[in-house]
Amino acid sequence: MAEHTMMMEEALVALLKDKKYFSLRDILSTMNPADIAAVFDDLKVERLPLLFRLLPKELAADTFVEMEPEAQELLIRGFSDSELREVLDELYVDDAVDIVEEMPANVVRRILAQADPDMRKQINEILRYPEDSAGSIMTTEYVTLRPSMTVGEAIKRIRRTGIDKETIYTCYVTEDRRLLGLATVKDLLLCEDDNARISELMEENVISVGTLEDKEDVAQMFSKYDFLALPVVDTEGRMVGIITFDDAMDVMEEEATEDMEKMAAMLPSEKPYMRSNIFSIWKNRIPWLLLLMVSATFTGMILNHFEDALAAQIVLTSFIPMLMDTAGNSGSQTSVTVIRGLSLGEIELGDLPKILWKECRVAILCGLTLAVAVYFKILLIDKLLLGGEGITLPVMLTVCITMAATILCAKLVGGTLPIVAERLGFDPAVMASPFITTIVDALALLVYFGVASLLLHI
Amino acid sequence: MAEHTMMMEEALVALLKDKKYFSLRDILSTMNPADIAAVFDDLKVERLPLLFRLLPKELAADTFVEMEPEAQELLIRGFSDSELREVLDELYVDDAVDIVEEMPANVVRRILAQADPDMRKQINEILRYPEDSAGSIMTTEYVTLRPSMTVGEAIKRIRRTGIDKETIYTCYVTEDRRLLGLATVKDLLLCEDDNARISELMEENVISVGTLEDKEDVAQMFSKYDFLALPVVDTEGRMVGIITFDDAMDVMEEEATEDMEKMAAMLPSEKPYMRSNIFSIWKNRIPWLLLLMVSATFTGMILNHFEDALAAQIVLTSFIPMLMDTAGNSGSQTSVTVIRGLSLGEIELGDLPKILWKECRVAILCGLTLAVAVYFKILLIDKLLLGGEGITLPVMLTVCITMAATILCAKLVGGTLPIVAERLGFDPAVMASPFITTIVDALALLVYFGVASLLLHI
């Protein structure tokens, strides 16, 4: 795809240079809006308005929606009032809201001034909902039917009003704005009797979400139920909008990215990496680096405390990175598994005992395997191959026992912490790798020196 | 949701105990298949067949699709041939394939024996495609139109043939099985002239995928283009199936989970955590633990090599965990960002120079911040508060300089490795945290002892 975009870009630039506007328009008209937007986003700024004006009206609006906010802002600033109005007229309300959210205040004022009063009202309504709520990603344009309509009347209504709706395939049956049921276009088309009443044919057990529901939970419902759209109701049970599957997909993707960022000790980013400036990247990365650096004081303190023991058996030092890394890896394996399970709804809060029991057994298996492996590794590589000095049997046993014991600790901490975090209302993903590494590092050292003092009498 | 499921479960079990089968049937009929399946999956085995038989035919099939493979197998083994045939008749081909893929051979043989010849042929066809290909997740049931049809004829055809199709909303215009264009039901319904030809109205620039295309790339196309369905064509350009958005969503979710698992040093799991036995969890976790344990030999060797230096300045030991952890964290921050960018298509192979330049500058910012912070942290906490011995100015400078330098190294390694892996055809996610931690650990130690030998003359 990427190479294809680049070739297309060069071809378009060449045509633009030669002022072959008709050919340009012909080529662009065959392309998908998302692909046109990808080409436009990479173009030099001064060419953008000219190329954009070549697009047919509807394609122009579809392309506009797919472009990066920087390019959108640039275009809006270049639009005349009537050009802006033309683009706005073609937009769905939820797309208009997405654009408004990214623009600086003076551009927002211009957009709202040019939008027709009805759209302005709807934009302002959606903007009122909190950032992560279902309300913030819904659209207020959907097809409604009355229960008393016949199938034939319903189809006629869809044909008359469908043009402005983001989806016509799921229609909602309402009375006084109260949601009574839904009928899909498939139900309507496949119904053999044009005079059947909507009230007989509609699905009455409709799953809906509240305006303030977390958008991540809403996205999860889409993947569970395979919905095309989900109705949004206010606290009084009145229908206020719908969320469509494409927005749910975007949320799923964003949330997975955020979870990965949190697991890797970053604050969630607001923009894609290539469009973020270095200061915002720095701002997202430095807090955790600082916090974890300071929290490593504990491991330092433990090492200080056992300074004399280490000086007496300096060979112990060389196994510290291996023990700490293995502990960290074991802990993250478990915590990442649990965190992902929680966010997909596969694991619930009440599962903690089951998880700990499972992790216990897995830890014993992993611990035994690694203890045996590390024994032979030290014997063959460190002692025979590298001729390490001071590697006695008690030293080897100390490392093996520490290995098995820390894996057990690490897996239990890794399984417990995310669930405790979730129960306390914190974000489990933040509790993942970074924090857990610090904790199990300290645990690994404590076990190490504890075992060493028993076996080596230091 | 979870609590709701549990309450529902108790209510159903109570009704079942009292043999109130009619009420049970009434309640189940109001529920969504995915929710019924969730309740059924948790039920004791002996109750399952009885409850399942209470469901109306269509709901039974929809519920069956949503259930866990273990419960499906149990039910199939209990079905009479005619019951099995009834369920199979209601399934879409792609769902039938999903079930067949999870069943043991003798159950598969029974399923194929009971499926009607046409479905059997289609199942076998889809099973031929490799596991991660577009072909393996497609369905072969879709609506086709001829270019010469009128809109009215097309709608009639949809009404006649739509009942067995997973989606009727996107119809494909073909001639000799060659894909000419597509027409959506929205286009057809909103077209004012029932006598307009499909060839005039259809969208001719259709994006399609090959049967062997990677299903992850296909899922990415859904999120880019907001498609409801995507046509699949064979190497000769003949249309063989469609992929629907719900399957693409599942793939997106699976792939994100897999990436997280790989980043946390695990092999991708095949089943959800709660349904995996401890041996398969152990099998997924132990290879990386072993590999990373052995690769920690390098860090051990470095420490051994500088044993005498450490013995002379034992205070240096206590900063090793902090330096290694910070290096690991910095490296993972960058690698996870790049890996996610690659898998979302936001970062391309050619972006490496841009990324390195960006990471360089971010690393300098982070390195300077942390160097200053660690200076004051050592001064205030380690020296004044904890009264650490041997913390001289040269020691502090050694730590600060090492900190800044390793962050730079870590971020450059973290940015380079995933892109090099991708270019070489390896999986970038595997190159993330685990490997990078080992590499930057070693780098951190080398820098540390290098700087120490310069400043402390050891």
Side-chain angles (χ1 to χ4, degrees), chain B residues 18-170:
Chain B
D18 297 348
K19 306 208 162 114
K20 303 224 158 127
Y21 299 128
F22 286 108
S23 315
L24 262 174
R25 191 188 162 104
D26 285 346
I27 294 183
L28 289 172
S29 301
T30 67
M31 290 170 67
N32 184 294
D35 291 326
I36 304 180
V39 173
F40 280 15
D41 283 333
D42 286 346
L43 276 184
K44 284 244 184 68
V45 159
E46 64 267 31
R47 287 168 176 148
L48 192 55
L50 178 60
L51 262 175
F52 189 80
R53 289 193 176 97
L54 287 174
L55 295 174
K57 214 171 71 175
E58 203 183 326
L59 188 58
D62 290 344
T63 302
F64 188 76
V65 168
E66 299 284 342
M67 291 171 69
E68 303 288 358
E70 287 79 4
Q72 289 173 336
E73 188 182 335
L74 191 109
L75 280 176
I76 294 178
R77 290 188 188 277
F79 283 159
S80 69
D81 282 354
S82 69
E83 276 177 322
L84 179 55
R85 211 174 312 130
E86 254 179 31
V87 171
L88 288 174
D89 279 351
E90 295 284 332
L91 294 185
Y92 295 122
V93 170
D94 59 339
D95 293 329
V97 170
D98 288 346
I99 292 167
V100 162
E101 278 173 338
E102 297 283 337
M103 295 296 132
N106 56 345
V107 176
V108 170
R109 270 195 298 276
R110 251 198 91 201
I111 294 177
L112 291 178
Q114 294 307 321
D116 73 59
D118 191 41
M119 186 183 235
R120 186 163 51 233
K121 198 176 137 241
Q122 293 182 43
I123 291 177
N124 280 321
E125 204 169 294
I126 296 176
L127 282 176
R128 276 210 327 264
Y129 294 106
E131 202 185 339
D132 285 331
S133 67
S136 73
I137 56 167
M138 72 182 183
T139 183
T140 46
E141 296 159 321
Y142 50 89
V143 181
T144 54
L145 304 174
R146 308 255 154 268
S148 55
M149 279 178 173
T150 64
V151 168
E153 287 167 347
I155 292 179
K156 258 192 219 128
R157 182 178 160 81
I158 294 171
R159 297 183 89 151
R160 207 178 54 239
T161 65
I163 188 77
D164 290 332
K165 313 299 188 218
E166 192 168 337
T167 181
I168 62 165
Y169 299 136
T170 313

Side-chain angles (χ1 to χ4, degrees), chain A residues 1-2 30 32 34-35 92 158-159 162-163 165 168-169 184-186 188-191 194 205 207 220 222-228 245-246 249 252-253 256-257 260 263-266 272-274 276 278-279 281-282 285-286 289-290 292-293 296-297 300-301 303-304 307 314 317-318 321-322 324-325 329-330 333-334 336-337 340 344 346-348 351 355 358-359 361-362 365-366 369-370 373-374 377 381-382 386 403 411 441, chain B residues 1-2 30 32 34-35 92 158-159 162-163 165 168-169 184-186 188-191 194 205 207 220 222-228 245-246 249 252-253 256-257 260 263-266 272-274 276 278-279 282 285-286 289-290 292-293 296-297 300-301 303-304 307 314 317-318 321-322 324-325 329-330 333-334 336-337 340 344 346-348 351 355 358-359 361-362 365-366 369-370 373-374 377 381-382 386 403 411 441:
Chain A
M1 294 306 292
T30 68
N32 185 294
D35 291 325
Y92 295 120
I158 294 170
R159 297 183 88 152
I163 187 78
K165 312 300 188 219
I168 62 164
Y169 299 135
T184 66
V185 164
K186 188 173 180 181
L188 297 175
L189 281 183
L190 299 187
C191 175
D194 259 11
N205 302 108
I207 294 177
Q220 220 37 63
F222 273 85
S223 95
K224 180 175 171 193
Y225 297 115
D226 298 345
F227 289 140
L228 268 180
F245 76 96
D246 52 312
M249 254 186 187
M252 270 174 57
E253 209 168 79
T257 305
M260 287 182 201
M263 287 174 185
M266 288 179 276
Y273 175 73
M274 296 304 282
S276 304
I278 57 165
F279 290 101
I281 298 179
W282 172 78
R285 293 187 184 172
I286 200 72
L289 288 181
L290 283 173
L292 293 172
M293 183 271 285
T297 307
M301 277 167 69
L303 282 178
N304 269 334
E307 212 171 67
I314 195 84
T317 314
S318 67
M322 180 187 72
M324 279 177 27
D325 280 353
N329 288 330
S330 310
Q333 286 183 333
T334 303
V336 166
T337 304
R340 184 62 176 162
L344 292 183
E346 288 167 2
I347 289 177
E348 289 153 21
D351 290 332
I355 291 172
K358 202 165 213 168
E359 286 301 322
R361 289 174 296 160
V362 174
L365 282 179
C366 288
T369 321
L370 274 173
V374 85
K377 181 243 158 192
I381 301 184
D382 296 317
L386 303 174
M403 187 63 107
K411 293 225 169 278
D441 273 2
Chain B
M1 297 306 294
T30 67
N32 184 294
D35 291 326
Y92 295 122
I158 294 171
R159 297 183 89 151
I163 188 77
K165 313 299 188 218
I168 62 165
Y169 299 136
T184 66
V185 163
K186 188 172 180 180
L188 297 175
L189 280 184
L190 300 186
C191 174
D194 259 10
N205 303 108
I207 295 177
Q220 221 35 65
F222 273 85
S223 96
K224 181 175 172 193
Y225 297 115
D226 298 343
F227 290 139
L228 268 180
F245 76 96
D246 52 313
M249 254 186 188
M252 270 174 58
E253 211 169 78
T257 304
M260 287 182 200
M263 286 173 186
M266 288 178 276
Y273 175 73
M274 297 302 282
S276 304
I278 57 166
F279 290 101
W282 171 79
R285 293 188 184 171
I286 201 73
L289 288 182
L290 283 173
L292 293 172
M293 184 269 287
T297 307
M301 278 167 68
L303 282 178
N304 268 335
E307 212 170 69
I314 194 84
T317 314
S318 68
M322 180 188 71
M324 279 177 27
D325 281 352
N329 289 328
S330 311
Q333 286 183 334
T334 303
V336 166
T337 305
R340 184 63 176 163
L344 293 183
E346 288 167 5
I347 289 177
E348 289 152 20
D351 290 331
I355 291 172
K358 201 165 213 171
E359 285 302 322
R361 288 173 298 158
V362 173
L365 282 179
C366 287
T369 320
L370 274 174
V374 85
K377 181 242 154 190
I381 301 183
D382 297 319
L386 303 174
M403 187 64 106
K411 292 223 170 282
D441 273 2

Side-chain angles (χ1 to χ4, degrees), chain A residues 113-182:
Chain A
Q114 294 308 320
D116 73 59
D118 191 42
M119 186 183 234
R120 184 161 55 232
K121 198 177 136 243
Q122 293 182 41
I123 291 176
N124 280 322
E125 205 169 294
I126 296 175
L127 283 176
R128 276 210 327 265
Y129 294 107
E131 201 185 338
D132 285 331
S133 67
S136 73
I137 55 167
M138 72 182 183
T139 182
T140 46
E141 296 159 320
Y142 50 90
V143 181
T144 53
L145 304 175
R146 306 257 154 268
S148 55
M149 280 178 171
T150 64
V151 168
E153 288 167 348
I155 292 179
K156 257 191 219 129
R157 182 178 160 82
I158 294 170
R159 297 183 88 152
R160 208 178 54 239
T161 64
I163 187 78
D164 291 331
K165 312 300 188 219
E166 193 168 335
T167 181
I168 62 164
Y169 299 135
T170 313
C171 305
Y172 297 91
V173 187
T174 56
E175 209 162 47
D176 295 334
R177 289 186 61 203
R178 237 159 267 280
L179 180 61
L180 302 181
L182 66 79

Side-chain angles (χ1 to χ4, degrees), chain B residues 385-411:
Chain B
L385 193 66
L386 303 174
E389 285 163 38
I391 303 181
T392 59
L393 187 64
V395 168
M396 286 167 70
L397 284 181
T398 303
V399 175
C400 293
I401 294 172
T402 307
M403 187 64 106
T406 47
I407 289 179
L408 186 62
C409 294
K411 292 223 170 282

